[in-house]
Amino acid sequence: MQEAVGVFLDAWRLVTAVADAVSRHQLRRLSGREEELPLAEEAVSEVAGDVQSMIQTEMATALTRQADWPHMAQQLVALRQAGVDLSRFLPEVAEIAATSQDSVLEHAATSHEGKWERKLRETLPAGPVREAIVSSPRWPEMTAAMERLEQQGVDVRSVLATAHDQAVGVHHAVAQHLGGDAATATSRDALLSYGPLTVGLDIPKNLNLDDREGALEKQLAISPSENQRYVWMVRQAMPDLEREADLLVAARQWPLIAARIADMERGRQPVAEHLARLSQDTSWQEGPQSLMGRRLVQAANDALRKPIGAPAGPGEPRARVNTAAARSTSPSVGPLKAAARGAAPVTPGVAAHREAGPAAKSGRRR
């Protein structure tokens, strides 16, 4: 709360200082003179009641307790003497300051939630437990609690990994009690995306690309601001191909490209250099116009996965997908708790398209 009050006060000081500067400039221009500020004590006595009656009580109290309140009161009286109606001016300034305060609070909350969505994604496997956590109405409360624990020196990742096993038990117990299936069925989108588009990525079994916003933010932990930045990166990489860049980011499987970019950024890889290949090799332009979006998705994925320095031309063979294996194997990975405790990973528990291969260089596996 103290930080929020500070933002309100800073915004108030800025807006009133701007108004005072404009008023003085206008007086000098029209009359050739500048009025002296009234005495501080008289100014405080004159406007204190107005401030208390026209501004939210706690903010008015905070304002009048500041060391520079007498100077702010002088500015307000000077504005009134110059013809400014304080009954309109004061509420307007308060609204601007309150809006600034709300923006900071919202940004802080969003930053915390985005930070903990990424950490949760890196700590827990894709699946119903993780989806239940981030989609919960109490998610903001959970992120605030995790932030406090981290500030106190608690290893929150360890707590999450331990809590995951208990949560899985709850998931199964509820499903059994209600006579349902505790296992999450692999969605059609997850099956169709299985292969080069998802290799090395942690993609949930119930991937739903029909809900683009939900797929990005809830299932792949990519915030709207991050997605906008990735869209901008694509457009920067295709400066003379605006229409084609728009086709790529509008494609149904764009969330998977965004997830690839996010994964590469976490691994500190030069994403811009990879994306530049979309302009250097435009073989994706060849073919029916109706399939342009699909070809662009494939080209972008190839550009991101190939190491810098590798040929980007169309001559090299593309990875093939064993559809039979894809439909018989879950695309999700197992819990990371064992790995966190130092246990050796169990190879059979990893889906075929997540096993180490040539493409694994393009992103850090979790």
Side-chain angles (χ1 to χ4, degrees):
M1 181 60 184
Q2 191 62 37
E3 181 183 359
V5 172
V7 171
F8 180 93
L9 294 171
D10 286 340
W12 178 280
R13 291 186 180 99
L14 175 60
V15 176
T16 53
V18 168
D20 181 64
V22 171
S23 173
R24 291 177 178 281
H25 180 270
Q26 186 74 326
L27 283 171
R28 287 194 300 269
R29 188 178 72 83
L30 296 178
S31 65
R33 60 186 176 82
E34 184 173 327
E35 296 290 341
E36 294 292 332
L37 285 173
L39 294 176
E41 290 184 5
E42 294 178 0
V44 168
S45 176
E46 182 176 339
V47 299
D50 294 328
V51 169
Q52 292 288 350
S53 64
M54 297 179 192
I55 302 175
Q56 191 176 359
T57 304
E58 58 267 29
M59 294 307 173
T61 302
L63 191 65
T64 55
R65 287 179 178 175
Q66 298 304 301
D68 60 343
W69 162 240
H71 177 66
M72 288 189 281
Q74 288 175 303
Q75 289 179 319
L76 293 175
V77 171
L79 287 169
R80 172 179 280 166
Q81 292 174 348
V84 175
D85 182 0
L86 291 189
S87 66
R88 293 185 57 185
F89 179 78
L90 288 174
E92 288 173 356
V93 177
E95 184 176 355
I96 294 171
T99 300
S100 301
Q101 177 188 39
D102 291 343
S103 297
V104 170
L105 291 174
E106 183 178 352
H107 175 72
T110 303
S111 298
H112 281 170
E113 289 182 31
K115 165 188 171 181
W116 286 107
E117 275 194 27
R118 286 190 292 273
K119 289 197 174 186
L120 191 77
R121 179 175 170 73
E122 292 168 359
T123 305
L124 305 185
V129 171
R130 193 174 73 187
E131 296 308 309
I133 294 171
V134 297
S135 63
S136 169
R138 300 189 65 183
W139 172 242
E141 296 175 37
M142 288 187 269
T143 61
M146 289 187 284
E147 189 71 22
R148 289 193 297 270
L149 287 171
E150 185 180 64
Q151 291 174 357
Q152 294 169 16
V154 176
D155 182 359
V156 180
R157 290 177 185 267
S158 177
V159 174
L160 288 172
T162 303
H164 177 268
D165 285 354
Q166 183 186 38
V168 169
V170 171
H171 175 74
H172 282 273
V174 173
Q176 186 175 11
H177 176 70
L178 297 177
D181 183 6
T184 301
T186 302
S187 68
R188 183 173 184 274
D189 282 329
L191 285 172
L192 292 178
S193 302
Y194 193 96
L197 271 178
T198 57
V199 66
L201 299 178
D202 184 14
I203 304 300
K205 292 173 60 178
N206 61 339
L207 178 67
N208 179 17
L209 296 178
D210 286 330
D211 179 9
R212 185 184 182 93
E213 184 176 326
L216 283 164
E217 192 166 3
K218 297 301 182 184
Q219 294 192 300
L220 300 174
I222 297 173
S223 70
S225 60
E226 288 173 322
N227 184 56
Q228 289 175 5
R229 185 162 58 83
Y230 300 155
V231 170
W232 177 83
M233 291 170 70
V234 167
R235 288 174 176 157
Q236 287 290 106
M238 305 173 71
D240 299 318
L241 299 163
E242 292 85 358
R243 178 179 172 278
E244 288 79 2
D246 288 343
L247 280 175
L248 171 57
V249 300
R252 178 182 175 81
Q253 292 180 309
W254 163 255
L256 297 176
I257 298 299
R260 175 79 61 195
I261 294 174
D263 188 66
M264 292 176 69
E265 283 196 330
R266 286 191 289 271
R268 301 184 182 277
Q269 297 186 53
V271 177
E273 290 185 46
H274 284 267
L275 288 174
R277 291 168 166 167
L278 292 171
S279 294
Q280 297 163 1
D281 171 26
T282 57
S283 58
W284 46 263
Q285 291 180 329
E286 302 168 6
Q289 184 66 27
S290 60
L291 299 179
M292 177 74 76
R294 184 179 301 179
R295 293 198 302 273
L296 278 164
V297 167
Q298 188 174 30
N301 190 56
D302 288 345
L304 292 168
R305 290 181 58 205
K306 292 175 184 173
I308 295 297
E316 57 186 306
R318 297 189 183 277
R320 297 183 178 275
V321 182
N322 185 330
T323 55
R327 296 178 186 280
S328 63
T329 312
S330 166
S332 63
V333 295
L336 305 183
K337 181 178 177 183
R341 292 180 176 174
V346 183
T347 303
V350 181
H353 76 304
R354 300 183 189 279
E355 292 178 357
K361 298 178 181 177
S362 65
R364 178 166 59 87
R365 291 181 57 202
R366 289 185 290 278

